[in-house]
Amino acid sequence: MIDNCVNATKQLLTLLNIKSTSNYLKDCILSHTDHPSLLSISDTLEKYQIENLAVKIDINKLKVMPMPCIIQVDVNNESLFYVLKNIGDETVSYYDNNNKKVTVPINFFLKIWSGICLLVETTEQSRENGIEKKLVKKRKQNVLKGSIATLLASYFIINLLITKNITDISSAFYIIAYTVLKCIGLTTGVFLLWFEIDKYNPALQNFCSGSNKKINCNAVLDSKYAMLFNGNLTLSLLSFSYFFGSLFYLLVFGFQATSLSVLGIFSLACLPVILISIYFQALVIKQWCKFCIIIQAVLVSEIFITLFSKFYKNPIDYKVLPLLLALLLIPVLIWTELKPLLKQEKKTNVYRRDLKKIKNNPTVLESLLKKSRKIKTSTEGLGITISNNNSAKYNIVKVCNPYCRPCAEAHPILEALVDKGSVNLQMLFTARADNNDIKAKPVSHFLAIAKQGDKEKTRHALDDWYQTKHKDYDLFANKYPVNGELNKQNNKIQDMREWCDAENITHTPTIFINGYELPKEYGVDDLEEVLI
């Protein structure tokens, strides 16, 4: 079913003009340890760098609060989250669980509102992590789709213009109208197949739902009357196959009379299908499917065009009929193989989010930590310490290599946790006090900068080093001069090396949390979720 937390958050982001991607938003909320809850929404908004505060207030104070915001309501004994748009003197406007804007009297609103709301405020930094790259990828996909659509349209127009069968304007009109109907039918068929895989998608549910209680796509498409051969073949797939095969058959043969003739006969043959579909929806199921109604309307329109244009009177080239049958069967074969893969992917996403929810539970991490290797040698006085909160619950020791790519990737994640006050970070290095060790110079430089006592400068220097793709020590040294302090760091490097040997450090980064090694089931990126 449609997840209320995801739905409300997505609507809020839309009103705030914050671009987002569905997968990222779903992962953040559905994998949250306390989902479904207001906390899962609040923590997700923090990932978008949107400041938020949960409060319980009265209606008078709510009127002066910034809008939009998320409110908790009680509808039919079910606790839901709506997005409040504005409050007037007599009415309240909000978006319900179907993303429909509803305006109700303020007295009615007070009956369903719990008094709890989540106030939000955006900043210049408010955005989804990595949204620029995601949007670039999406634009490339849109360009590719547009190019394909343009090429197909060009092919259609060129073949239509050179077709010898067109002798007057009316013939051209019938062919264009017939082809457009095929495109509409094919598009509807795509949505029908999408419904088979993701029937609770908000977009599909919004289209299928309505004020009319007789409209219910689920009741029709999930009924036994919409399935053949014990459910192995659905009417949704048959609809898609019909329009796919007939449209591409029409395009392949360039709107020739022979192709129009056989397709016209197929259109006429669909009349019993239309009548049977109407019968079952009207009298047996007593519910109507909007997608089915569109398909029926398209088929009826095809029949009228066939009768008026007299396509069916053109001669038939029986030699090309096998191609038409192949085009009709190809979608059936492909969907039979593709549908289980798509369903499995959907299940995999559910399992992945459930696993992430377990991993995001601090209790689970703490239990696994106690079973991990424990530090035997004290780290006091070693390396570089970065802290923002002396009372932080977690103390992390990161053993790293200045030229290690995973170490560089872990650095901003751990620093972000420091900034939140969640952890204190101590960085140790695996370098040796040896001029032949390439790691020695940058590590000596880090330690020399840290010795100056300027914590911000130390952090900036580490950021500069780890965020640079190509590590150039000479450039780094010129940017952060230390005035002959490098050689004074050998003892510190030697102490760290001895500690690494004593603790048998074999790879970097090696992470210890509160004295215990990070379990292999966890990656550094998991810590963003669990150490909060």
Side-chain angles (χ1 to χ4, degrees):
M1 60 180 295
I2 303 173
D3 186 83
N4 173 244
C5 293
V6 174
N7 207 37
T9 308
K10 185 175 182 60
Q11 182 61 51
L12 178 68
L13 293 174
T14 300
L15 294 176
L16 293 173
N17 294 319
I18 302 295
K19 295 179 180 178
S20 65
T21 55
S22 296
N23 286 338
Y24 180 81
L25 180 60
K26 286 180 179 179
D27 279 345
C28 290
I29 291 182
L30 299 182
S31 63
H32 193 281
T33 307
D34 293 316
H35 171 266
S37 67
L38 194 62
L39 180 59
S40 66
I41 297 177
S42 175
D43 287 345
T44 297
L45 292 177
E46 286 187 3
K47 293 180 182 178
Y48 284 84
Q49 300 182 66
I50 298 174
E51 297 178 1
N52 61 88
L53 177 66
V55 295
K56 186 169 185 178
I57 56 178
D58 58 36
I59 189 66
N60 293 324
K61 291 182 179 178
L62 183 61
K63 288 181 179 180
V64 298
M65 293 298 171
M67 303 288 169
C69 66
I70 288 181
I71 55 172
Q72 185 182 52
V73 298
D74 186 10
V75 180
N76 297 325
N77 295 322
E78 182 180 7
S79 180
L80 296 172
F81 298 111
Y82 286 173
V83 179
L84 183 62
K85 184 68 170 63
N86 55 60
I87 300 179
D89 292 332
E90 298 181 355
T91 61
V92 176
S93 296
Y94 57 79
Y95 289 88
D96 64 14
N97 198 37
N98 293 318
N99 288 339
K100 292 183 179 179
K101 187 176 180 181
V102 179
T103 300
V104 298
I106 198 166
N107 290 335
F108 175 83
F109 173 74
L110 291 174
K111 291 179 181 179
I112 64 172
W113 179 44
S114 67
I116 295 174
C117 65
L118 184 67
L119 305 175
V120 298
E121 183 177 359
T122 60
T123 65
E124 293 182 357
Q125 289 74 38
S126 296
R127 60 175 57 85
E128 181 177 312
N129 185 30
I131 189 65
E132 292 80 8
K133 292 182 179 179
K134 297 173 185 176
L135 292 178
V136 168
K137 182 179 180 180
K138 187 174 182 180
R139 282 194 289 269
K140 289 180 179 178
Q141 292 176 340
N142 290 337
V143 170
L144 181 60
K145 292 176 184 177
S147 300
I148 294 173
T150 302
L151 291 172
L152 290 175
S154 301
Y155 176 84
F156 164 70
I157 295 171
I158 292 172
N159 278 277
L160 185 61
L161 293 175
I162 65 175
T163 299
K164 297 179 180 179
N165 303 322
I166 301 177
T167 56
D168 53 41
I169 295 177
S170 62
S171 297
F173 170 78
Y174 287 135
I175 293 176
I176 292 173
Y178 193 70
T179 306
V180 169
L181 287 172
K182 293 292 185 187
C183 293
I184 295 173
L186 180 62
T187 303
T188 308
V190 170
F191 282 106
L192 282 168
L193 294 184
W194 183 14
F195 193 92
E196 285 191 14
I197 298 299
D198 193 14
K199 67 178 65 177
Y200 295 114
N201 183 279
L204 295 176
Q205 287 297 323
N206 284 339
F207 176 80
C208 290
S209 62
S211 57
N212 192 333
K213 295 182 179 180
K214 291 290 185 179
I215 301 295
N216 190 336
C217 294
N218 294 328
V220 177
L221 297 176
D222 287 340
S223 70
K224 62 181 181 181
Y225 306 106
M227 302 178 186
L228 303 173
F229 306 113
N230 294 323
N232 293 319
L233 186 63
T234 63
L235 294 184
S236 299
L237 178 55
L238 286 179
S239 299
F240 176 82
S241 300
Y242 169 77
F243 289 109
F244 177 90
S246 55
L247 176 60
F248 278 89
Y249 180 80
L250 187 62
L251 294 175
V252 167
F253 288 98
F255 311 98
Q256 295 179 10
T258 53
S259 62
L260 290 167
S261 176
V262 69
L263 292 181
I265 293 174
F266 266 72
S267 294
L268 294 175
C270 288
L271 180 59
V273 176
I274 299 171
L275 296 176
I276 292 172
S277 177
I278 293 174
Y279 167 76
F280 277 108
Q281 289 183 80
L283 301 179
V284 179
I285 305 174
K286 297 181 180 179
Q287 299 281 340
W288 293 89
C289 166
K290 287 185 179 180
F291 291 119
C292 301
I293 293 172
I294 294 174
I295 294 292
Q296 292 162 7
V298 170
L299 292 176
V300 169
S301 301
E302 280 190 6
I303 292 174
F304 278 110
I305 290 177
T306 299
L307 293 174
F308 284 117
S309 63
K310 300 180 180 180
F311 288 157
Y312 61 92
K313 290 187 176 182
N314 294 324
I316 298 176
D317 185 358
Y318 293 98
K319 294 182 295 184
V320 298
L321 286 180
L323 176 60
L324 174 59
L325 294 176
L327 289 172
L328 292 172
L329 292 175
I330 284 174
V332 177
L333 176 61
I334 293 177
W335 186 247
T336 301
E337 299 295 328
L338 186 61
K339 183 178 178 180
L341 296 177
L342 293 174
K343 284 193 170 184
Q344 184 59 44
E345 181 185 11
K346 194 171 181 63
K347 285 184 179 180
T348 301
N349 286 333
V350 173
Y351 294 149
R352 179 173 55 82
R353 287 166 182 158
D354 288 344
L355 175 60
K356 196 173 180 182
K357 182 180 288 189
I358 295 173
K359 291 175 68 176
N360 289 348
N361 190 326
T363 304
V364 174
L365 174 61
E366 290 170 7
S367 176
L368 291 175
L369 281 173
K370 291 178 181 179
K371 297 179 181 179
S372 296
R373 178 167 60 123
K374 185 178 181 181
I375 292 177
K376 298 178 181 178
T377 311
S378 173
T379 61
E380 186 177 355
L382 299 179
I384 297 173
T385 299
I386 302 174
S387 62
N388 195 39
N389 181 2
N390 292 329
S391 61
K393 184 178 180 181
Y394 302 99
N395 293 302
I396 293 181
V397 174
K398 174 193 177 190
V399 186
C400 50
N401 175 341
Y403 291 99
C404 165
R405 183 177 57 82
C407 294
E409 294 173 350
H411 182 75
I413 296 173
L414 296 177
E415 277 211 331
L417 289 171
V418 171
D419 290 336
K420 291 180 180 179
S422 302
V423 307
N424 291 321
L425 175 63
Q426 184 177 8
M427 298 177 63
L428 276 60
F429 300 90
T430 59
R432 297 180 183 276
D434 185 344
N435 291 332
N436 294 324
D437 186 353
I438 192 176
K439 303 189 293 291
K441 284 187 177 181
V443 172
S444 296
H445 218 104
F446 298 158
L447 294 172
I449 295 172
K451 187 179 178 182
Q452 295 174 358
D454 189 335
K455 294 183 179 180
E456 285 302 313
K457 182 179 180 180
T458 302
R459 291 189 62 171
H460 283 307
L462 290 169
D463 291 344
D464 281 351
W465 177 266
Y466 279 119
Q467 290 176 8
T468 302
K469 187 175 183 180
H470 301 288
K471 307 292 188 289
D472 188 325
Y473 173 70
D474 292 332
L475 288 176
F476 179 79
N478 289 332
K479 186 174 182 180
Y480 295 95
V482 290
N483 301 323
E485 292 290 324
L486 294 181
N487 293 331
K488 298 179 181 180
Q489 311 305 319
N490 287 341
N491 290 337
K492 296 180 181 179
I493 293 178
Q494 182 61 31
D495 291 342
M496 285 190 293
R497 183 66 251 177
E498 291 176 358
W499 184 92
C500 290
D501 291 339
E503 293 297 329
N504 193 27
I505 302 299
T506 58
H507 65 278
T508 56
T510 299
I511 306 294
F512 294 91
I513 300 178
N514 289 347
Y516 293 90
E517 186 174 1
L518 182 68
K520 62 182 180 180
E521 292 84 3
Y522 284 81
V524 176
D525 53 340
D526 293 322
L527 301 182
E528 290 182 292
E529 306 290 341
V530 66
L531 300 185
I532 54 175

